């Protein structure tokens, strides 16, 4: 295992403090030990790549469902298609993705949707950042000759989404809370794993904290703004469910998986 001095993370500890307070548990040592093995780097990077795309897709879905006009919803689909073609269908190259039409800053709000402008501002910024990070992860994979391949999703997000209420606006509020937890856990794992990775990947993971550390707050602020009541109790419940998933055993290693049952 290649170990980088933990000083690489030290300058960003202030960014991690609120994240660690928000999450009810830290990543188990067993996961870090397994994820840091050289032979597991391809699966970690591949799943990370998928996670960046899924984060952008989730934000786009929220925009299409709750914020933008139908025509501008198509702009979101068009912006994501080259990435989806590359990952899911093996069509195109990173160069094609980089040349593709990027997400417009001028998405039009649907008149019937409350707080649409705020949702558009936060989620469109998140999409642009996640897609940029996707390109960065893919460049690292190409440099290390790690091929794209199909990958089963972890149970983490799926089981959290099973807790979403079925009526509005509570369903949207729950989805935003889940988005906050996924973003916060990602940042916590970037910092936890970075000291054990090769220096180029470690510095990349730490650099992600600068942009992604605020994402969970964007989700929570939107959730509270859209709710007529205080969401603290609902957030607490999801934090508990999330911690249970992180502490429990998983049969497959993924970026958000729990304790390796096979280690």
């Amino acid at each position: 295992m290649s170990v980088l001095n933990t000083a690489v993370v030290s300058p960003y500890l202030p960014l991690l403090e609120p994240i660690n307070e928000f999450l009810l548990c830290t990543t188990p040592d067993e996961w870090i030990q397994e994820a840091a093995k050289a032979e597991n780097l391809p699966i970690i990077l591949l799943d990370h790549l998928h996670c960046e795309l899924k984060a952008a897709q989730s934000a786009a879905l929220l925009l299409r469902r709750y914020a933008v006009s139908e025509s501008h919803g198509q702009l979101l689909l068009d912006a994501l298609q080259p990435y989806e073609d590359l990952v899911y269908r093996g069509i195109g190259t990173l160069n094609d993705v980089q040349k593709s039409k990027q997400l417009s800053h001028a998405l039009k709000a649907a008149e019937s949707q409350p707080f649409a402008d705020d949702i558009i501002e936060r989620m469109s910024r998140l999409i642009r950042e996640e897609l940029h990070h996707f390109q960065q992860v893919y460049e690292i994979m190409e440099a290390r000759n790690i091929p794209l391949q199909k990958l089963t999703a972890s149970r983490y997000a799926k089981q959290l989404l099973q807790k979403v209420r079925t009526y509005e606006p509570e369903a949207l509020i729950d989805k935003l809370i889940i988005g906050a937890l996924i973003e916060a856990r990602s940042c916590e794992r970037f910092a936890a794993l970075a000291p054990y990775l090769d220096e180029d990947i470690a510095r990349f993971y730490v650099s992600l904290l600068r942009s992604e550390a605020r994402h969970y707050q964007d989700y929570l602020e939107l959730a509270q703004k859209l709710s007529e009541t205080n969401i603290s109790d609902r957030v607490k419940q999801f934090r508990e469910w999330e911690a249970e998933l992180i502490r429990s055993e998983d049969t497959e290693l993924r970026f958000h998986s729990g304790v390796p049952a096979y280690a």
Side-chain angles (χ1 to χ4, degrees):
M1 181 187 305
S2 176
V3 179
L4 181 72
N5 193 303
T6 54
V8 72
V9 180
S10 298
Y12 300 96
L13 290 179
L15 291 175
L16 286 168
E17 288 175 4
I19 290 172
N20 289 332
E21 290 177 4
F22 176 57
L23 298 171
L24 292 184
C25 71
T26 57
T27 291
D29 289 340
E30 296 94 328
W31 183 90
I32 298 173
Q33 292 167 5
E34 191 70 10
K37 292 178 180 178
E39 62 268 28
N40 287 329
L41 180 62
I43 196 68
I44 289 297
L45 288 175
L46 183 60
D47 196 44
H48 182 183
L49 186 80
H50 281 253
C51 287
E52 297 290 356
L53 179 54
K54 288 174 184 174
Q57 289 172 318
S58 295
L61 183 61
L62 289 175
L63 283 170
R64 292 174 58 226
R65 173 66 178 82
Y66 299 104
V68 302
S69 63
E70 184 176 348
S71 61
H72 282 237
Q74 186 60 47
L75 292 177
L76 289 163
L77 295 177
D78 293 342
L80 288 172
Q81 184 171 346
Y83 297 85
E84 295 170 342
D85 283 344
L86 181 62
V87 171
Y88 303 137
R89 304 173 190 97
I91 300 172
T93 65
L94 179 60
N95 188 50
D96 295 327
V97 166
Q98 292 170 334
K99 290 180 178 179
S100 65
K101 185 176 181 180
Q102 299 301 305
L103 179 63
S104 169
H105 289 254
L107 292 172
K108 183 178 180 180
E111 294 180 2
S112 61
Q113 298 288 8
F115 303 107
D117 289 334
D118 200 2
I119 295 173
I120 289 172
E121 178 185 356
R122 294 172 190 257
M123 293 297 104
S124 60
R125 179 180 63 192
L126 185 147
I127 291 170
R128 288 190 292 272
E129 291 182 359
E130 302 291 9
L131 293 181
H132 176 61
H133 297 157
F134 173 99
Q135 294 181 24
Q136 291 177 296
V137 176
Y138 194 75
E139 287 174 349
I140 291 173
M141 290 174 59
E142 281 196 322
R144 293 169 177 264
N145 295 316
I146 298 173
L148 280 175
Q149 56 182 314
K150 292 183 179 180
L151 190 69
T152 57
S154 71
R155 65 191 175 97
Y156 177 82
K158 181 179 180 180
Q159 292 201 11
L160 288 175
L161 288 168
Q162 289 175 354
K163 308 292 187 181
V164 171
R165 290 169 287 188
T166 58
Y167 46 92
E168 299 292 357
E170 283 76 8
L172 172 57
I173 290 165
D174 285 352
K175 291 171 187 174
L176 291 169
I177 294 171
I178 291 170
L181 283 162
I182 292 173
E183 293 291 335
R185 180 60 65 187
S186 296
C187 285
E188 189 263 349
R189 291 210 158 170
F190 291 146
L193 192 54
Y196 301 96
L197 300 176
D198 291 345
E199 186 169 349
D200 59 333
I201 305 177
R203 295 194 181 282
F204 168 59
Y205 272 12
V206 170
S207 74
L208 293 180
L209 297 176
R210 289 176 294 188
S211 60
E212 299 213 350
R214 71 169 186 277
H215 287 174
Y216 87 97
Q217 295 170 328
D218 284 340
Y219 275 111
L220 289 178
E221 289 169 6
L222 272 178
Q224 184 57 74
K225 183 174 287 190
L226 291 166
S227 177
E228 295 181 355
T229 59
N230 191 291
I231 65 171
S232 297
D233 287 345
R234 190 62 177 169
V235 172
K236 182 175 183 293
Q237 180 65 80
F238 269 104
R239 291 167 67 205
E240 291 172 353
W241 286 327
E242 194 271 349
E244 288 176 8
L245 289 169
I246 293 300
R247 291 173 176 146
S248 60
E249 290 189 340
D250 257 317
T251 57
E252 293 182 311
L253 178 65
R254 296 291 186 268
F255 201 86
H256 293 94
S257 58
V259 177
Y262 48 86

